[in-house]
Amino acid sequence: MKKQITIFDTTLRDGEQSPGASLRKSEKFEIAQQLHRLGVDVIEAGFPIASPDDLEAVKLISKNVKGPVICALARSLKKDIDAAYRAVKPAKRARIHVFLATSKIHMRYKLKKAEGEILQQAVSAVKYAKKYVDDIQFSPEDASRTDPDFLFRVIEAVIDAGAKTVNIPDTVGYAIPDEFARLIYNIMRRVRNVNKAVISVHCHNDLGLAVANSLLAIKNGACQVECTINGIGERAGNASLEEIVMAMRTRKDFFNKKTDIKTKYLYNTSRMVSRLTGIIVQPNKAVIGSNAFAHEAGIHQDGILKKRATYEIMQPKDVGFGETKLVLGKHSGKHALFVRLKKLGFNLKEDELKKAFNKFKILADKKKHVYDEDLKAVVEDEMCAQGEIYKLQYLYIESGTQHVPKATVGLEFDRKQLKANASGDGPVDACYKAVDKITGFRGRLTDYSIRSITSGKDALGEASIKLIVKGKVVTGRGTSTDVIEASVKAYLNAMDKVYWAHSRKLSQQL
Ligand code: KIV
Ligand code: ZN
């Protein structure tokens, strides 16, 4: 049977210690509610002695976030423990987390205390906190650099004093996975009363090993793991919650462990923490980075299209990410282009696809990413290059300051001569209405511009227009020395695109 791992989230405490990540009370509350939705077991909501604001934030969370255990941090000092208790008192399930450094370097230089004094202070702190709540966690700070025999003695003593959880921090991210795994293994075997407490781990990422160290600790008997959303935290941060959870989920065959995390909320939680702390998530961040499910190489895209599992070990929807992204760029192949065009509604024949692919490659060499709009333009150009559909035969216009403008337009379509009359707000409007009568499509003009592309009195004018036809935007361009003729040609150019799409039952893509 799979063993349950307790997820202890410290985004609001160690995470908030990230340089520049200070959060307001209301923001902490918003994150705490999201962590509850995500399914974390313990929320370390803050370090109440650090500031009155922090105390108030922990109190607010304790009062209102029901479900997870709400935990507050305290040094092994009475005043810290009193403040922590004041903050978590309203919680239905409250925990006080006391810590004291046990490594030689911390004891000698920071605390200026000998081993015996440290041992005594740790036990007294646990006993003092125990008067307030039953759920006490103790952390021997800098455990990974602590003399193992002394560490085992401290762990045994705090468990005897009533600690229900003993957390083993790799405070400065110094441990190497194999070594940290051995430390946890030895704790599980050499500490006499270890079965009376949960062994937890808290790894920092100074060498980029926080997740690896945490996972190996779990493999060797740790039942609680401390982590943060997006891996934020002091210096290089803490072990990232989403990476730990997804590693255990994806490799259940290896870990045989489970958590209560609803992984489909991981992405949104990550976005929220990033937005509120102002710490952006790198695109290549595992699990929730914007590139985590984006494939650019042609070989990979082809593989994904044939069988997703060839290049994806998790599904984007498992972490609430949306869809796999095939980024179309210069490394993409014909298969990926074909699939994307099909999604856009263009079902091209082999020779059309070949031409579109050649144009796409030229474009991809100039542009880093080719977006759907670019693709539409490539295909529409290709279709229009196959020949004009609506050919202008003649134009006759009646216009003047005292007259309602009228137009007669003659077109050749499908080897037939067609003609229509219309009046409008101006000569161009009258022409467009006459064209609509012939084509049967109704275009609503949203953009119109005319510019000269040669110089002199007989300058060639180019009309560029944007139309809405059947709810979609179509563009058109036309040139002539006569501005009205250029405008009508632009309109017919747009109508050719509508025709090609419509004749392929693709009008919704235009
Ligand atoms: O890194 C650390 O040692 C800590 C303790 C307070 C658990 O954050
Ligand atoms: Zn820490």
Side-chain angles (χ1 to χ4, degrees):
M1 211 178 65
K2 285 197 204 87
K3 206 161 176 196
Q4 183 82 20
I5 298 297
T6 299
I7 300 295
F8 178 114
D9 180 278
T10 182
T11 305
L12 297 176
R13 199 279 297 168
D14 213 324
E16 208 214 4
Q17 288 172 220
S18 300
S22 113
L23 293 162
R24 289 200 299 266
K25 191 167 86 173
S26 59
E27 294 169 333
K28 282 192 151 198
F29 182 52
E30 198 180 332
I31 292 176
Q33 287 173 307
Q34 179 66 16
L35 291 172
H36 176 27
R37 211 166 294 136
L38 181 66
V40 308
D41 302 287
V42 186
I43 296 176
E44 185 164 54
F47 188 14
I49 196 72
S51 77
D53 259 13
D54 220 26
L55 194 149
E56 287 309 313
V58 178
K59 213 187 245 177
L60 179 72
I61 293 166
S62 298
K63 266 188 202 151
N64 297 292
V65 181
K66 304 290 172 202
V69 171
I70 308 299
C71 175
L73 184 69
R75 287 170 299 180
S76 291
L77 300 172
K78 282 186 178 171
K79 62 174 179 175
D80 281 38
I81 297 169
D82 293 341
Y85 178 59
R86 276 204 302 284
V88 293
K89 197 172 161 195
K92 225 170 167 185
R93 299 166 70 205
R95 176 181 296 187
I96 297 177
H97 176 190
V98 284
F99 73 99
L100 185 62
T102 50
S103 64
K104 279 205 169 74
I105 185 167
H106 278 238
M107 290 191 295
R108 182 179 306 163
Y109 295 103
K110 188 179 86 176
L111 302 170
K112 301 186 179 19
K113 283 188 176 159
E115 282 188 353
E117 291 170 278
I118 293 292
L119 194 67
Q120 213 170 27
Q121 190 180 342
V123 168
S124 305
V126 170
K127 285 188 175 159
Y128 184 74
K130 196 82 181 169
K131 285 198 281 199
Y132 287 133
V133 294
D134 191 42
D135 189 354
I136 303 300
Q137 170 169 323
F138 179 81
S139 289
E141 192 190 7
D142 206 15
S144 55
R145 291 195 300 170
T146 297
D147 166 55
D149 288 329
F150 179 55
L151 181 66
F152 302 154
R153 273 166 50 214
V154 171
I155 297 172
E156 194 175 305
V158 295
I159 295 176
D160 276 344
K164 296 262 179 202
T165 303
V166 180
N167 178 47
I168 310 299
D170 179 25
T171 302
V172 288
Y174 182 74
I176 299 297
D178 185 44
E179 180 186 56
F180 199 60
R182 214 167 331 118
L183 176 65
I184 302 302
Y185 180 88
N186 286 334
I187 289 171
M188 299 311 291
R189 266 142 205 87
R190 304 230 340 239
V191 173
R192 171 189 48 85
N193 51 2
V194 75
N195 58 338
K196 296 211 177 90
V198 168
I199 296 299
S200 165
V201 287
H202 173 111
C203 298
H204 276 271
N205 207 29
D206 299 67
L207 293 174
L209 295 170
V211 170
N213 282 332
S214 304
L215 289 170
L216 278 188
I218 288 167
K219 190 79 181 154
N220 282 276
C223 285
Q224 173 179 289
V225 63
E226 301 201 359
C227 40
T228 60
I229 300 295
N230 299 339
I232 61 171
E234 189 77 42
R235 304 180 311 281
N238 289 66
S240 133
L241 182 149
E242 54 280 2
E243 292 178 26
I244 289 178
V245 167
M246 288 313 286
M248 281 194 275
R249 189 182 196 264
T250 308
R251 295 302 310 273
K252 350 184 181 13
D253 59 317
F254 182 79
F255 290 104
N256 198 29
K257 300 287 189 292
K258 60 181 170 73
T259 72
D260 280 341
I261 296 297
K262 296 177 192 79
T263 61
K264 64 179 179 190
Y265 295 132
L266 282 173
Y267 184 67
N268 278 353
T269 312
S270 158
R271 304 307 314 156
M272 177 191 281
V273 169
S274 173
R275 174 171 53 84
L276 295 176
T277 57
I279 299 177
I280 53 165
V281 175
Q282 77 210 52
N284 60 322
K285 165 85 173 63
V287 179
I288 41 78
S290 57
N291 284 350
F293 297 96
H295 305 268
E296 160 114 17
I299 296 167
H300 291 211
Q301 293 181 345
D302 184 53
I304 283 278
L305 292 167
K306 286 173 176 154
K307 176 100 181 142
R308 180 196 286 271
T310 50
Y311 287 101
E312 255 178 23
I313 57 166
M314 300 170 264
Q315 294 212 18
K317 69 173 170 41
D318 294 341
V319 299
F321 194 84
E323 281 196 356
T324 295
K325 245 198 298 180
L326 298 189
V327 182
L328 289 183
K330 65 176 181 184
H331 301 117
S332 303
K334 223 198 279 172
H335 190 182
L337 178 68
F338 175 74
V339 171
R340 177 69 66 85
L341 287 176
K342 203 164 172 194
K343 241 186 181 168
L344 290 172
F346 298 104
N347 211 351
L348 303 192
K349 292 191 221 114
E350 186 53 37
D351 57 323
E352 292 169 331
L353 178 65
K354 223 184 236 168
K355 284 183 198 152
F357 184 64
N358 289 340
K359 283 199 170 168
F360 158 76
K361 280 283 179 185
I362 293 167
L363 189 64
D365 263 341
K366 293 187 200 142
K367 273 187 111 215
K368 198 163 162 45
H369 295 307
V370 180
Y371 298 103
D372 287 352
E373 287 306 314
D374 301 316
L375 287 180
K376 277 194 227 168
V378 163
V379 177
E380 283 166 3
D381 278 0
E382 186 50 44
M383 285 168 169
C384 288
Q386 293 173 22
E388 272 175 286
I389 307 302
Y390 299 107
K391 290 191 185 115
L392 181 64
Q393 297 294 295
Y394 56 86
L395 268 181
Y396 178 71
I397 297 169
E398 276 178 59
S399 183
T401 49
Q402 307 291 319
H403 282 87
V404 174
K406 286 188 189 129
T408 303
V409 178
L411 300 182
E412 185 190 308
F413 168 72
D414 200 17
R415 277 185 247 135
K416 289 194 270 298
Q417 307 296 320
L418 304 167
K419 171 178 122 171
N421 304 311
S423 54
D425 293 337
V428 173
D429 184 47
C431 290
Y432 286 4
K433 282 187 172 136
V435 171
D436 283 352
K437 281 186 184 171
I438 299 172
T439 61
F441 299 118
R442 185 179 289 267
R444 186 166 62 79
L445 194 64
T446 59
D447 215 349
Y448 172 91
S449 67
I450 191 123
R451 67 181 184 112
S452 72
I453 50 175
T454 54
S455 51
K457 268 195 194 158
D458 56 351
L460 205 54
E462 184 187 65
S464 302
I465 59 165
K466 222 180 234 178
L467 295 176
I468 308 270
V469 185
K470 292 178 180 280
K472 305 287 171 187
V473 178
V474 204
T475 57
R477 266 201 320 264
T479 49
S480 169
T481 47
D482 178 311
V483 289
I484 297 182
E485 189 178 331
S487 306
V488 174
K489 281 185 170 171
Y491 199 74
L492 293 176
N493 177 243
M495 286 303 159
D496 283 353
K497 295 175 186 174
V498 177
Y499 171 85
W500 276 110
H502 187 77
S503 70
R504 288 160 189 261
K505 303 204 185 327
L506 299 171
S507 53
Q508 74 275 19
Q509 256 68 47
L510 284 164

